[in-house]
Amino acid sequence: MEGSNLLPVNIATDGVLTRSVRDTIAFYQHIERARPLRGVKALGAVPPTPERALRIGVFVDSPIGTTVDEDVKDSVLSAARSCEELGHNVQSLACPFTAQVVDDFLLYWGLAAWLQKVTARVMLHRGFDPRKLEPWTLHMAQTFREQPRVCAEASLRLRSFQSTYAQLFQRFDVVMCPTVASDALPIGHLATDLPYELVRARLRTFTPFTPIQNASGAPAISLPLGRSASGLEIRSEEHTSE
């Protein structure tokens, strides 16, 4: 899969949302048939076996210091214990990233929204009416218009974040963490027509982990590895450096 090289920070990557690991494997098997990757063994072949135990780091605390549900933490730690039982070397660690990468990503998102708004008639079609964009997107674009220098500085920091991220993988082969900080939210909790600052605060608290992967540009997968006490699915993220 390839990301977009048209943006200052490459965060757009094709992919698919599935309900199971089996469906994810099936998707990539079909992609492999349609577009074989050079030097990569097809997923339909014999599954690769690591030549040595993997070095796995695991953290469950949020980079912005907000609360992560105990059910979510327990699910990630349970998955880590399963990896340890399989013979891998698992190490717990404090969140190795700061709130700045999350907030920089939100600022950069404003730049991306602004670009989508001003280029839509060229990139999509001449009849595109940007006034019909969702309120959330319009507000995000407005944040860039109001503080372009701040957003540009955030973009520069995000470009250098890749090297910061890579340093972590001098110690680990895989890093595990939650995908989101809580159960699935009620319908409407992140409605795009709610007050912008309210949605931004809720989104920042709910998804403090995913901006790390967006900014790093490195591979990651979100897997359904547990359920909350209310029966809702809990997903964990596995990150690699390449």
Side-chain angles (χ1 to χ4, degrees):
M1 296 305 195
E2 296 178 353
S4 169
N5 293 317
L6 301 178
L7 298 171
V9 181
N10 186 2
I11 63 171
T13 303
D14 295 329
V16 65
L17 178 65
T18 66
R19 292 182 177 273
S20 69
V21 176
R22 182 182 295 108
D23 289 347
T24 300
I25 292 172
F27 169 77
Y28 283 107
Q29 285 177 335
H30 284 289
I31 290 295
E32 169 64 19
R33 296 189 190 105
R35 184 181 176 185
L37 298 176
R38 295 178 181 177
V40 177
K41 184 179 290 186
L43 287 174
V46 178
T49 301
E51 297 180 357
R52 58 173 174 78
L54 295 175
R55 302 168 300 167
I56 300 176
V58 56
F59 68 92
V60 294
D61 48 325
S62 165
I64 64 173
T66 49
T67 301
V68 178
D69 283 2
E70 290 302 318
D71 284 347
V72 172
K73 292 181 179 180
D74 291 344
S75 178
V76 175
L77 295 176
S78 175
R81 286 193 295 271
S82 295
C83 291
E84 194 167 31
E85 291 169 359
L86 290 171
H88 300 296
N89 299 317
V90 178
Q91 179 183 336
S92 295
L93 62 151
C95 179
F97 307 106
T98 68
Q100 185 168 66
V101 66
V102 178
D103 293 327
D104 282 349
F105 178 74
L106 288 172
L107 287 169
Y108 178 72
W109 195 352
L111 167 61
W114 179 81
L115 286 172
Q116 289 176 332
K117 179 182 176 182
V118 299
T119 64
R121 289 179 178 172
V122 175
M123 301 298 291
L124 298 178
H125 60 84
R126 294 180 62 184
F128 186 89
D129 185 354
R131 295 172 300 177
K132 294 183 179 180
L133 289 168
E134 292 183 328
W136 167 262
T137 302
L138 293 173
H139 279 292
M140 291 294 289
Q142 185 66 23
T143 63
F144 172 75
R145 289 188 58 191
E146 292 174 351
Q147 46 186 349
R149 180 173 179 177
V150 174
C151 293
E153 290 171 349
S155 298
L156 290 175
R157 285 193 296 268
L158 289 177
R159 287 178 68 90
S160 65
F161 176 73
Q162 294 181 3
S163 61
T164 301
Y165 179 88
Q167 290 175 10
L168 181 64
F169 289 90
Q170 295 177 7
R171 299 164 50 199
F172 301 107
D173 302 302
V174 178
V175 174
M176 299 175 61
C177 73
T179 300
V180 292
S182 68
D183 276 355
L185 299 175
I187 293 175
H189 191 75
L190 295 175
T192 59
D193 56 353
L194 288 174
Y196 169 72
E197 291 297 338
L198 174 63
V199 178
R200 186 185 184 281
R202 288 178 172 179
L203 185 68
R204 184 174 181 269
T205 302
F206 181 58
T207 59
F209 301 100
T210 53
I212 296 168
Q213 286 310 117
N214 283 110
S216 72
I221 188 170
S222 176
L223 299 173
L225 298 178
R227 290 192 178 275
S228 67
S230 59
L232 294 175
E233 182 181 273
I234 295 175
R235 285 180 169 261
S236 303
E237 284 188 348
E238 281 67 51
H239 311 173
T240 64
S241 61
E242 56 184 35

